[in-house]
Short mmCIF file of all heavy atoms in Angstrom, two decimals:
data_model
loop_
_atom_site.label_atom_id
_atom_site.label_comp_id
_atom_site.label_asym_id
_atom_site.label_seq_id
_atom_site.Cartn_x
_atom_site.Cartn_y
_atom_site.Cartn_z
N VAL A 209 8.42 -5.60 -12.34
CA VAL A 209 9.28 -4.51 -12.14
C VAL A 209 9.64 -4.31 -10.73
O VAL A 209 10.84 -4.09 -10.35
CB VAL A 209 8.74 -3.23 -12.84
CG1 VAL A 209 9.79 -2.08 -12.63
CG2 VAL A 209 8.47 -3.43 -14.32
N LEU A 210 8.62 -4.46 -9.85
CA LEU A 210 8.78 -4.30 -8.46
C LEU A 210 9.71 -5.34 -7.89
O LEU A 210 10.53 -5.13 -7.01
CB LEU A 210 7.43 -4.38 -7.76
CG LEU A 210 7.32 -3.71 -6.36
CD1 LEU A 210 7.72 -2.28 -6.33
CD2 LEU A 210 5.82 -3.84 -5.84
N LEU A 211 9.61 -6.58 -8.43
CA LEU A 211 10.53 -7.68 -7.94
C LEU A 211 11.95 -7.36 -8.32
O LEU A 211 12.83 -7.62 -7.47
CB LEU A 211 10.04 -8.92 -8.65
CG LEU A 211 8.81 -9.61 -8.14
CD1 LEU A 211 8.43 -10.85 -8.91
CD2 LEU A 211 8.88 -10.04 -6.59
N MET A 212 12.17 -6.70 -9.48
CA MET A 212 13.55 -6.30 -9.83
C MET A 212 14.08 -5.23 -8.79
O MET A 212 15.22 -5.34 -8.41
CB MET A 212 13.49 -5.61 -11.23
CG MET A 212 13.58 -6.60 -12.35
SD MET A 212 13.58 -5.73 -13.92
CE MET A 212 15.11 -4.80 -13.79
N ILE A 213 13.23 -4.35 -8.41
CA ILE A 213 13.63 -3.31 -7.43
C ILE A 213 13.97 -3.91 -6.08
O ILE A 213 14.99 -3.60 -5.45
CB ILE A 213 12.55 -2.19 -7.25
CG1 ILE A 213 12.33 -1.43 -8.61
CG2 ILE A 213 12.85 -1.24 -6.17
CD1 ILE A 213 11.12 -0.52 -8.54
N ILE A 214 13.10 -4.91 -5.65
CA ILE A 214 13.33 -5.58 -4.36
C ILE A 214 14.65 -6.36 -4.43
O ILE A 214 15.50 -6.36 -3.47
CB ILE A 214 12.13 -6.53 -4.01
CG1 ILE A 214 10.89 -5.68 -3.74
CG2 ILE A 214 12.46 -7.38 -2.87
CD1 ILE A 214 9.56 -6.47 -3.74
N TYR A 215 14.87 -7.06 -5.56
CA TYR A 215 16.14 -7.84 -5.78
C TYR A 215 17.38 -7.00 -5.61
O TYR A 215 18.30 -7.31 -4.86
CB TYR A 215 16.06 -8.41 -7.15
CG TYR A 215 17.45 -9.05 -7.56
CD1 TYR A 215 17.97 -10.20 -6.94
CD2 TYR A 215 18.16 -8.47 -8.57
CE1 TYR A 215 19.19 -10.74 -7.35
CE2 TYR A 215 19.37 -9.02 -8.97
CZ TYR A 215 19.88 -10.14 -8.34
OH TYR A 215 21.12 -10.67 -8.65
N THR A 216 17.45 -5.82 -6.27
CA THR A 216 18.62 -4.97 -6.24
C THR A 216 18.82 -4.32 -4.87
O THR A 216 19.95 -4.18 -4.42
CB THR A 216 18.57 -3.88 -7.30
OG1 THR A 216 17.41 -3.12 -7.17
CG2 THR A 216 18.61 -4.47 -8.67
N THR A 217 17.62 -4.05 -4.15
CA THR A 217 17.76 -3.46 -2.83
C THR A 217 18.36 -4.55 -1.92
O THR A 217 19.29 -4.11 -1.09
CB THR A 217 16.29 -3.19 -2.31
OG1 THR A 217 15.73 -2.21 -3.18
CG2 THR A 217 16.35 -2.61 -0.93
N PHE A 218 18.02 -5.77 -1.98
CA PHE A 218 18.63 -6.79 -1.13
C PHE A 218 20.00 -7.22 -1.54
O PHE A 218 20.81 -7.67 -0.71
CB PHE A 218 17.73 -7.97 -1.00
CG PHE A 218 16.60 -7.76 0.02
CD1 PHE A 218 15.46 -7.12 -0.29
CD2 PHE A 218 16.79 -8.21 1.31
CE1 PHE A 218 14.50 -6.85 0.65
CE2 PHE A 218 15.88 -7.97 2.36
CZ PHE A 218 14.70 -7.30 1.94
N CYS A 219 20.41 -6.97 -2.81
CA CYS A 219 21.76 -7.24 -3.24
C CYS A 219 22.65 -6.33 -2.50
O CYS A 219 23.78 -6.73 -2.08
CB CYS A 219 21.87 -7.06 -4.75
SG CYS A 219 21.30 -8.44 -5.76
N ASP A 220 22.28 -5.07 -2.34
CA ASP A 220 23.07 -4.08 -1.59
C ASP A 220 23.25 -4.48 -0.19
O ASP A 220 24.34 -4.33 0.44
CB ASP A 220 22.42 -2.66 -1.65
CG ASP A 220 22.65 -1.96 -3.01
OD1 ASP A 220 23.63 -2.32 -3.69
OD2 ASP A 220 21.79 -1.10 -3.35
N THR A 221 22.25 -5.10 0.40
CA THR A 221 22.29 -5.49 1.82
C THR A 221 23.27 -6.65 1.98
O THR A 221 24.12 -6.58 2.81
CB THR A 221 20.91 -6.04 2.31
OG1 THR A 221 19.99 -4.98 2.13
CG2 THR A 221 20.98 -6.42 3.77
N PHE A 222 23.05 -7.70 1.10
CA PHE A 222 23.93 -8.90 1.32
C PHE A 222 25.39 -8.68 0.92
O PHE A 222 26.19 -9.43 1.33
CB PHE A 222 23.28 -10.09 0.58
CG PHE A 222 21.94 -10.49 1.08
CD1 PHE A 222 20.85 -10.59 0.32
CD2 PHE A 222 21.79 -10.80 2.46
CE1 PHE A 222 19.55 -11.00 0.76
CE2 PHE A 222 20.54 -11.16 3.00
CZ PHE A 222 19.39 -11.23 2.10
N ALA A 223 25.57 -7.60 0.13
CA ALA A 223 26.99 -7.32 -0.27
C ALA A 223 27.75 -6.57 0.82
O ALA A 223 28.93 -6.38 0.79
CB ALA A 223 26.94 -6.53 -1.55
N ASN A 224 26.91 -6.05 1.80
CA ASN A 224 27.50 -5.31 2.93
C ASN A 224 27.70 -6.20 4.15
O ASN A 224 26.69 -6.64 4.72
CB ASN A 224 26.55 -4.13 3.28
CG ASN A 224 27.17 -3.21 4.28
OD1 ASN A 224 28.08 -3.54 5.05
ND2 ASN A 224 26.74 -1.95 4.32
N PRO A 225 28.89 -6.54 4.52
CA PRO A 225 29.19 -7.53 5.65
C PRO A 225 28.80 -6.93 7.01
O PRO A 225 28.75 -7.72 7.97
CB PRO A 225 30.68 -7.75 5.54
CG PRO A 225 31.19 -6.49 4.85
CD PRO A 225 30.19 -6.00 3.95
N ASN A 226 28.63 -5.67 7.08
CA ASN A 226 28.36 -5.04 8.35
C ASN A 226 26.89 -5.11 8.87
O ASN A 226 26.60 -4.77 9.98
CB ASN A 226 28.81 -3.54 8.38
CG ASN A 226 30.20 -3.39 8.07
OD1 ASN A 226 31.05 -4.16 8.52
ND2 ASN A 226 30.56 -2.36 7.23
N ILE A 227 25.96 -5.55 7.91
CA ILE A 227 24.54 -5.56 8.25
C ILE A 227 24.22 -6.98 8.75
O ILE A 227 24.47 -8.00 8.08
CB ILE A 227 23.72 -5.22 6.96
CG1 ILE A 227 23.92 -3.76 6.73
CG2 ILE A 227 22.28 -5.50 7.30
CD1 ILE A 227 23.23 -3.23 5.50
N ASP A 228 23.52 -7.02 9.92
CA ASP A 228 23.13 -8.26 10.54
C ASP A 228 21.71 -8.12 11.04
O ASP A 228 21.38 -7.17 11.72
CB ASP A 228 24.10 -8.63 11.63
CG ASP A 228 23.77 -10.04 12.25
OD1 ASP A 228 23.42 -10.85 11.42
OD2 ASP A 228 23.75 -10.11 13.53
N LEU A 229 20.83 -9.07 10.69
CA LEU A 229 19.46 -9.06 11.12
C LEU A 229 19.12 -10.18 12.03
O LEU A 229 19.31 -11.34 11.68
CB LEU A 229 18.52 -9.14 9.88
CG LEU A 229 17.02 -9.19 10.20
CD1 LEU A 229 16.54 -7.96 10.97
CD2 LEU A 229 16.26 -9.26 8.86
N ASP A 230 18.87 -9.94 13.33
CA ASP A 230 18.59 -11.02 14.24
C ASP A 230 17.19 -11.49 14.11
O ASP A 230 16.28 -10.73 13.78
CB ASP A 230 18.85 -10.56 15.67
CG ASP A 230 17.98 -9.31 16.07
OD1 ASP A 230 18.26 -8.26 15.50
OD2 ASP A 230 17.17 -9.52 16.97
N LYS A 231 17.02 -12.81 14.30
CA LYS A 231 15.71 -13.48 14.08
C LYS A 231 14.64 -12.95 15.18
O LYS A 231 13.47 -12.86 14.89
CB LYS A 231 15.83 -15.00 14.26
CG LYS A 231 16.59 -15.61 13.01
CD LYS A 231 16.65 -17.10 13.22
CE LYS A 231 17.31 -17.77 12.00
NZ LYS A 231 18.76 -17.43 11.85
N PHE A 232 15.13 -12.66 16.33
CA PHE A 232 14.27 -12.11 17.41
C PHE A 232 13.47 -10.91 16.87
O PHE A 232 12.26 -10.77 17.04
CB PHE A 232 15.01 -11.89 18.71
CG PHE A 232 14.21 -11.00 19.73
CD1 PHE A 232 13.20 -11.64 20.46
CD2 PHE A 232 14.43 -9.64 19.83
CE1 PHE A 232 12.46 -10.93 21.39
CE2 PHE A 232 13.64 -8.91 20.73
CZ PHE A 232 12.75 -9.52 21.57
N SER A 233 14.21 -9.94 16.39
CA SER A 233 13.66 -8.69 15.89
C SER A 233 12.67 -8.94 14.78
O SER A 233 11.54 -8.36 14.75
CB SER A 233 14.70 -7.73 15.45
OG SER A 233 15.52 -7.32 16.45
N LEU A 234 13.05 -9.83 13.86
CA LEU A 234 12.16 -10.17 12.74
C LEU A 234 10.81 -10.72 13.15
O LEU A 234 9.77 -10.28 12.69
CB LEU A 234 12.89 -11.06 11.79
CG LEU A 234 12.24 -11.29 10.38
CD1 LEU A 234 12.13 -9.94 9.65
CD2 LEU A 234 13.08 -12.29 9.60
N ILE A 235 10.85 -11.67 14.11
CA ILE A 235 9.62 -12.32 14.63
C ILE A 235 8.76 -11.29 15.26
O ILE A 235 7.52 -11.29 15.15
CB ILE A 235 9.98 -13.50 15.53
CG1 ILE A 235 10.63 -14.65 14.72
CG2 ILE A 235 8.76 -14.05 16.28
CD1 ILE A 235 11.32 -15.66 15.59
N ILE A 236 9.36 -10.42 16.11
CA ILE A 236 8.59 -9.38 16.86
C ILE A 236 7.92 -8.43 15.90
O ILE A 236 6.77 -8.10 16.07
CB ILE A 236 9.52 -8.67 17.85
CG1 ILE A 236 10.04 -9.59 18.98
CG2 ILE A 236 8.77 -7.48 18.45
CD1 ILE A 236 8.95 -10.14 19.85
N ILE A 237 8.64 -8.05 14.82
CA ILE A 237 8.10 -7.11 13.78
C ILE A 237 6.96 -7.74 13.12
O ILE A 237 5.93 -7.09 12.83
CB ILE A 237 9.20 -6.71 12.82
CG1 ILE A 237 10.27 -5.83 13.45
CG2 ILE A 237 8.68 -6.02 11.60
CD1 ILE A 237 9.74 -4.46 13.92
N VAL A 238 6.98 -9.01 12.74
CA VAL A 238 5.83 -9.75 12.10
C VAL A 238 4.67 -9.69 13.02
O VAL A 238 3.50 -9.38 12.60
CB VAL A 238 6.26 -11.20 11.78
CG1 VAL A 238 5.01 -11.94 11.33
CG2 VAL A 238 7.29 -11.21 10.62
N PHE A 239 4.89 -9.96 14.31
CA PHE A 239 3.77 -9.94 15.27
C PHE A 239 3.19 -8.60 15.42
O PHE A 239 1.94 -8.40 15.43
CB PHE A 239 4.27 -10.44 16.64
CG PHE A 239 3.29 -10.35 17.74
CD1 PHE A 239 2.19 -11.24 17.93
CD2 PHE A 239 3.35 -9.29 18.69
CE1 PHE A 239 1.26 -11.13 18.89
CE2 PHE A 239 2.43 -9.18 19.71
CZ PHE A 239 1.39 -10.09 19.80
N ILE A 240 4.05 -7.56 15.47
CA ILE A 240 3.57 -6.13 15.60
C ILE A 240 2.69 -5.78 14.37
O ILE A 240 1.67 -5.10 14.50
CB ILE A 240 4.77 -5.17 15.75
CG1 ILE A 240 5.42 -5.33 17.15
CG2 ILE A 240 4.37 -3.72 15.56
CD1 ILE A 240 6.71 -4.65 17.32
N ILE A 241 3.20 -6.11 13.20
CA ILE A 241 2.47 -5.78 11.92
C ILE A 241 1.11 -6.41 11.92
O ILE A 241 0.12 -5.64 11.57
CB ILE A 241 3.31 -6.22 10.75
CG1 ILE A 241 4.44 -5.24 10.52
CG2 ILE A 241 2.47 -6.33 9.47
CD1 ILE A 241 5.49 -5.68 9.47
N PHE A 242 0.93 -7.65 12.27
CA PHE A 242 -0.39 -8.24 12.30
C PHE A 242 -1.28 -7.60 13.33
O PHE A 242 -2.50 -7.41 13.11
CB PHE A 242 -0.25 -9.82 12.52
CG PHE A 242 -0.04 -10.53 11.24
CD1 PHE A 242 1.25 -10.92 10.82
CD2 PHE A 242 -1.13 -10.94 10.52
CE1 PHE A 242 1.42 -11.65 9.70
CE2 PHE A 242 -0.97 -11.67 9.34
CZ PHE A 242 0.29 -12.05 8.92
N SER A 243 -0.71 -7.28 14.52
CA SER A 243 -1.46 -6.62 15.59
C SER A 243 -1.93 -5.29 15.23
O SER A 243 -3.04 -4.87 15.52
CB SER A 243 -0.56 -6.53 16.83
OG SER A 243 -0.09 -7.81 17.23
N VAL A 244 -1.04 -4.49 14.54
CA VAL A 244 -1.37 -3.15 14.11
C VAL A 244 -2.51 -3.21 13.03
O VAL A 244 -3.49 -2.46 13.18
CB VAL A 244 -0.15 -2.44 13.47
CG1 VAL A 244 -0.51 -1.23 12.64
CG2 VAL A 244 0.80 -1.98 14.57
#
Side-chain angles (χ1 to χ4, degrees):
V209 178
L210 200 55
L211 288 175
M212 277 182 62
I213 296 173
I214 294 165
Y215 168 69
T216 57
T217 301
F218 276 85
C219 281
D220 283 337
T221 301
F222 295 127
N224 188 336
N226 300 321
I227 292 174
D228 183 41
L229 176 60
D230 60 293
K231 290 184 176 67
F232 166 77
S233 293
L234 192 60
I235 292 165
I236 295 296
I237 289 294
V238 171
F239 175 75
I240 289 169
I241 283 169
F242 274 95
S243 301
V244 164

